[in-house]
Amino acid sequence: MTRHTFTVGLDIGKQNDYTAAIVLRNTPTADKTQHDAVHIERWRGVDYPETVRRIQRLIETIKNPTRLPTPPHVELVVDEGGPGGPVVDMFRDVGLRPIGVMIHGGHATVRDGMTYRVPKRELVAHVQVCLQSGRFKIAPSLKHADTL
């Protein structure tokens, strides 16, 4: 039986911008991992404590042991730039261990504890390769799939 892991990606919007969340189901294959978008949502006008609660509920839903015999591993990845930094701290305060990603225009990826500083071109190139190779799929039936 294939064991899936899940990644919850979160981009925190400023007060009038959208906050967006995506859930990827990661399935190991013979040589690579397949990433399938299984949930997309976005909202605005919601304060940061409520955003933390929404993501907590989303992660609890994914881990719900009544759906699977063994709860899957769920990783939370948050854009730590802009308003994301304080929100990452809020996630840590409630016991979650988010991976922070700070996107920059430089040339090197640097890890500092649970935060990665990653060049934008590297992120874009990786997503592009995964899309072109079919390793990252977004079901067109998902709400907000067209926006993504």
Side-chain angles (χ1 to χ4, degrees):
M1 179 174 168
T2 302
R3 181 147 165 87
H4 302 287
T5 62
F6 292 83
T7 302
V8 176
L10 183 65
D11 180 23
I12 305 293
K14 295 180 182 173
Q15 285 182 334
N16 294 320
D17 295 331
Y18 283 99
T19 292
I22 186 168
V23 177
L24 300 179
R25 180 181 57 226
N26 309 305
T27 308
T29 63
D31 57 343
K32 302 280 183 181
T33 300
Q34 175 69 37
H35 309 281
D36 295 302
V38 295
H39 178 80
I40 303 169
E41 65 180 287
R42 67 184 196 153
W43 59 88
R44 65 178 168 192
V46 172
D47 64 20
Y48 299 142
E50 176 57 23
T51 293
V52 170
R53 287 188 291 273
R54 282 184 183 199
I55 296 302
Q56 279 183 292
R57 286 191 300 267
L58 179 61
I59 290 171
E60 288 169 10
T61 299
I62 296 166
K63 287 185 167 184
N64 185 344
T66 60
R67 288 180 31 210
L68 296 170
T70 305
H73 174 73
V74 180
E75 207 164 53
L76 174 60
V77 179
V78 181
D79 179 356
E80 201 168 343
V87 179
V88 166
D89 291 340
M90 293 171 74
F91 280 117
R92 290 181 179 140
D93 288 345
V94 299
L96 294 176
R97 297 177 38 98
I99 296 169
V101 175
M102 296 188 80
I103 302 167
H104 64 82
H107 300 288
T109 297
V110 177
R111 180 179 179 187
D112 181 14
M114 293 292 288
T115 299
Y116 290 81
R117 289 171 178 78
V118 182
K120 185 174 186 174
R121 64 178 169 71
E122 189 173 320
L123 285 175
V124 170
H126 187 73
V127 170
Q128 185 176 24
V129 166
C130 286
L131 282 167
Q132 289 173 346
S133 67
R135 289 183 33 229
F136 177 38
K137 294 183 181 175
I138 304 162
S141 60
L142 286 176
K143 185 176 180 181
H144 306 299
D146 288 341
T147 304
L148 178 63

